[in-house]
Amino acid sequence: GENVEQHPSTLSVQEGDSAVIKCTYSDSASNYFPWYKQELGKGPQLIIDIRSNVGEKKDQRIAVTLNKTAKHFSLHITETQPEDSAVYFCAASTETGGFKTIFGAGTRLFVKA
Amino acid sequence: GAVVSQHPSWVICKSGTSVKIECRSLDFQATTMFWYRQFPKQSLMLMATSNEGSKATYEQGVEKDKFLINHASLTLSTLTVTSAHPEDSSFYICSARDNRGAGTEAFFGQGTRLTVV
């Protein structure tokens, strides 16, 4: 089955700096890659997603890149703010698998003011 | 985005009792619902996938007789933890999607924190 690896597990940045989180996946059939932000005691919230026919997508301060050949995808947050502090999860899903979503281990992001 | 409501948000139960968690899609029809379990400071682990009107498909290592899943309608799925024990204490999260549309996004509930004492 699908396996998603995520790095780093913890990331601390200064307010205003950029943060990058990287993930790799194992199933070449995966074709949908969402990123979630989870705050303490809450369910995950989708912040951006990318499909396999696209290499890059941007939404204001958040961007995601996908390299299908290498099976890598990354989340980039620019101009970080303290409210960006949370746990971020990458995920991969496959249409043939009924779109069940397999999550990475998560990255705890701390943005210091 | 679409709204998925999970109830209750937290529950405390005695060891040996059963607990039911509800997951509702409020403004769309959920042909597929997923149930996840999350231990503190860990990732979400998929427990099972349920399609409306069909039996749930459980992931390896998940006991189907202990975690009963019902998806009888397009807007409601339930997870029942039977004969709960302290090791079942966890954060349970559901997600739902409509397979009939072009979108692939699954929408998540807010989670249920189960504590078994």
Side-chain angles (χ1 to χ4, degrees), chain B residues 18-114:
Chain B
S18 295
V19 174
K20 181 184 284 188
I21 302 168
E22 292 187 348
C23 181
R24 294 181 184 272
S25 57
L26 298 186
D27 50 2
F28 70 103
Q29 293 185 323
T31 52
T32 303
M33 286 189 171
F34 307 91
W35 286 94
Y36 293 85
R37 181 173 180 176
Q38 186 179 32
F39 290 110
K41 297 186 178 181
Q42 293 191 22
S43 187
L44 285 76
M45 299 303 295
L46 181 65
M47 298 174 66
T49 303
S50 73
N51 294 301
E52 185 263 338
S54 303
K55 287 185 178 179
T57 301
Y58 289 80
E59 295 299 303
Q60 193 172 9
V62 178
E63 298 176 59
K64 62 179 181 180
D65 293 331
K66 180 167 185 63
F67 299 100
L68 301 179
I69 292 172
N70 183 283
H71 190 173
S73 79
L74 283 171
T75 58
L76 175 64
S77 176
T78 61
L79 167 68
T80 301
V81 183
T82 62
S83 186
H85 291 285
E87 57 265 31
D88 298 324
S89 298
S90 187
F91 194 51
Y92 292 88
I93 307 170
C94 70
S95 71
R97 66 180 303 276
D98 185 346
N99 291 343
R100 299 166 299 179
T104 50
E105 180 180 355
F107 299 94
F108 282 80
Q110 65 269 46
T112 297
R113 183 159 303 283
L114 170 64

Side-chain angles (χ1 to χ4, degrees), chain A residues 24-95:
Chain A
T24 60
Y25 61 99
S26 62
D27 189 348
S28 56
S30 291
N31 54 6
Y32 176 64
F33 306 92
W35 285 87
Y36 294 91
K37 177 182 181 181
Q38 187 179 30
E39 297 178 337
L40 191 63
K42 297 183 179 180
Q45 294 291 312
L46 180 74
I47 55 172
I48 195 168
D49 57 12
I50 190 167
R51 289 170 173 74
S52 59
N53 58 348
V54 175
E56 185 173 355
K57 183 177 178 181
K58 189 173 181 179
D59 182 4
Q60 298 182 353
R61 297 187 296 111
I62 297 173
V64 58
T65 59
L66 171 65
N67 182 330
K68 281 187 62 179
T69 303
K71 297 182 195 170
H72 288 174
F73 57 117
S74 301
L75 176 72
H76 303 250
I77 306 174
T78 58
E79 300 172 33
T80 54
Q81 301 165 3
E83 51 265 38
D84 294 330
S85 298
V87 179
Y88 291 81
F89 292 98
C90 63
S93 67
T94 309
E95 185 172 0

